[in-house]
Amino acid sequence: MGTASSLVSPTGGEVIEDTYGAGGGEACEIPVEVKPKARLLRSSFRRGAAAAGAGPGSLPRAAGAAGLLGASFKSTGSSVPELEYAAEYERLKKEYEIFRVSKNQELLSMGRREAKLDTENKRLRAELQALQKTYQKILREKESALEAKYQAMERAATFEHDRDKVKRQFKIFRETKENEIQDLLRAKRELESKLQRLQAQGIQVFDPGESDSDDNCTDVTASGTQCEYWAGGALGSEPSLGSMMQLQQSFRGPELAHSSVDVEGPFANVNRDDWDVAVASLLQVTPLFSQSLWSNTVRCYLIYTDETQTEVDLFLKDYSPKLKRMCETMGYFFHAIYFPIDVENRYLTIRKWEIEKSSLVILFIHSTLPSLLVEDCEEAFLRNSEGKPRLIYHRLEDGKVTSDSVQQLIDQVCNLKKAHKAKIIDHSGAPAEGVYKTYICVEKTIKQDILGLESTDLETKDLGTEESIPEEDDFGDVLWDIHDEQEQMEAFQQASNSVHELGFEKYYQRLNDLVAAPAPIPPLLVSGGPGSGKSLLLSKWIQLQQKSSPSILILSHFVGRPMSTSSESSLIIKRLTLKLMQHSWSVSALTLDPTKLLEEFPRWLEKLSARHQGSIIIIIDSIDQVQQVEKHMKWLIDPLPVNVRVIVSVNVETCPAAWRLWPTLHLDPLNPKDAKSIIIAECHSVDIKLSKEQEKKLERHCCCPTTCNALYVTLFGKMMAHAGKRGNLDKILHQCLQCQDTASLYRLVLHSIQESMASDVERELMRQILCLINVSHNGVSESELMELYPETPWAILTSLIYSLHSMRLLTYGCGLLRFQHLQAWETVRLEYMEDATVISSYRQKLISYFTLQLSGHDRVTWRTADELPWLVQQQGEDTLLSC
């Protein structure tokens, strides 16, 4: 087997020869990794130490002993790891067998599962293929159904188009034939008139009673046939009421009298034109507003002296709130306006303006009349051309003699009181008793003379009570919204209020041609830029038509700024329908459903056109300000009855595209010569004459369309007149010449009024008032402003309103302060309210005010109902509407 040293390699490893193999074996190197036992190591170390201690002579023997020990250690160390390896091998072998068995079982299980999944997969694939086939089938059915749907929709649209086309053609045919029938009736009346004249002259004519021909029954046959034919309602259309009613007139004055049937009728001597005028005047069913009631407001102007300060204070404290509540209950405003004793006479012009607007003037006087008040008393009592109610409270006192000025005024009023409704209360007792007498007289005057209540109504109500009085008057059993009508009357007066002619004669002829044009004819479109004079043109033309042709019925509506009550389409149609119902003497109930209103309006129009003898003209100014106007005014595109004409005005920029094909009357800017003359005339009205140099500047300035705009020129003239009275004409002229459009000129107006204010407090008040009016629904009243700013005296508020009103910024509408032009409204919003938070804050201020009014009263006033829901909706707090 060899020596032990042969087993040790020089590298420290063990080389073991395989002596069991048949081929002599192959040597392999096995590293020694198993550490020797601690006992063997210690014994080896002890032997090594003993050998080292034997000395030099014992070195060979020690070396030999060491070699033997090393060989013994090697053999012992190699046998121990083999045993451990064998045990480890057995353990690993068992674990391997267990692992192999478990994995074989798992493989078998996975094989079975795979086979099962393959089977399931095949089944699902088969089902998927079936579902795909079903899906493709359903998809094809869906596509075919959609195609059939689209084809059906196309057929329905084509049918609807054809139906509308046939219906429109039928209406055109019907109205054309109706026009022919009217021409025949007119020729028939002329022949009957000639026949009557011939009979009157003694000329023998054909006697209808002697003939056996059936031609004599032409009238009866035509009448019956016409009624039967038009009553059929072809294609769902309204019967041809025009021709039917023309042959069966309920107001047949001259036709019946001048016919061959009844020559001796009661209307034989009535001229047809006179009959038409009489019928038209009978059909003018419009509410009568008292001249003393200015803009839906009872304005009570108080004049007093130092001697009667106590009476005025008692009246304002104890009785003015009662009068205000009484008027608000009936839907009117009440203002008790007074000025402090004006020693410097600063408010002379404003006092005259207030006296002119006042419904009632009360003079509280004792023994003297200051010279400062003489002019006001003469203006109020002696120059009362309109006969407005006037009242003098004269306190008498023993031992005091009335001055000559007071006695002279009382004597003059006594001479005129029957014509001018002046009343005098002489009182010699306590001031409280005298003020109570004044209150009783004022309340009776307001109810009877100003509001026009009947005396029987006053007898059923105790004086001083606050019972609710209906806001609406009953005109022929038809609901009448008196506020809307008052607003439209004031809008018409404002639109026609111009002392300068703007060269509209050339446009009047075009409008006259529209009325005389043969039917059917589409509406006439009056277009122009903002402030070009469209409203002024229409209002002036309406006045001319009412004077020249009383038989023509004109229904007009002037639309205000967007989102106001006057711009709501349903209210416009409602108002026009009420007008039609009143003029047709109908007592039918009016629906309040906006959709049904739009449907019924054309029918009412046809009914009235059939009964009315003259033409019917419908005029809607600024119709483009109506929201969704094309949707709510579809009746405009349908053929109108023969005697109906429609005129609408729009801005060029906002005109609906579908309407641009209508006949259009476009308003051009003023020519430079007319613009210059208007500005000079405005200056002459206040005794201001421009120099030659200033006139040349005006002529050079008014050379483009924006500076020749009608509103721009009017505003320019107002600024010049205002500056001339203040003595800074050159400065204002230079500033106005820098403004190239109406918006910039309005900004200059705002700055000019602000500079004229005496303090920063007044300037801030002006800004806040303009912002409140801007965010409101329809405007704000003066009494509401006084409650919002209770520290502001009447003199300051009135002077501010006077400045804004005279400069074309504000105006009155149904007792509310609102912007006079849309450009003024836009300028204020751009100047003061660019930030959305500012708009929200002012809107919230109005919401808080009207909410307080609602909670503080036991009733809902018309102002609260008009403003509060709209403000809450604009504020985005719709949840409050359900509270």
Side-chain angles (χ1 to χ4, degrees), residues 491-529:
F492 174 76
Q493 294 173 359
Q494 174 192 332
S496 59
N497 186 19
S498 176
V499 296
H500 307 293
E501 290 295 333
L502 301 179
F504 285 158
E505 291 78 8
K506 58 182 179 180
Y507 302 125
Y508 292 155
Q509 185 59 41
R510 178 70 183 277
L511 294 173
N512 294 334
D513 294 341
L514 171 73
V515 178
I521 183 174
L524 177 65
L525 201 66
V526 179
S527 67

Side-chain angles (χ1 to χ4, degrees), residues 674-687:
D674 291 340
K676 173 187 170 183
S677 62
I678 290 174
I679 296 175
I680 295 176
E682 189 68 34
C683 294
H684 287 172
S685 65
V686 291
D687 298 330

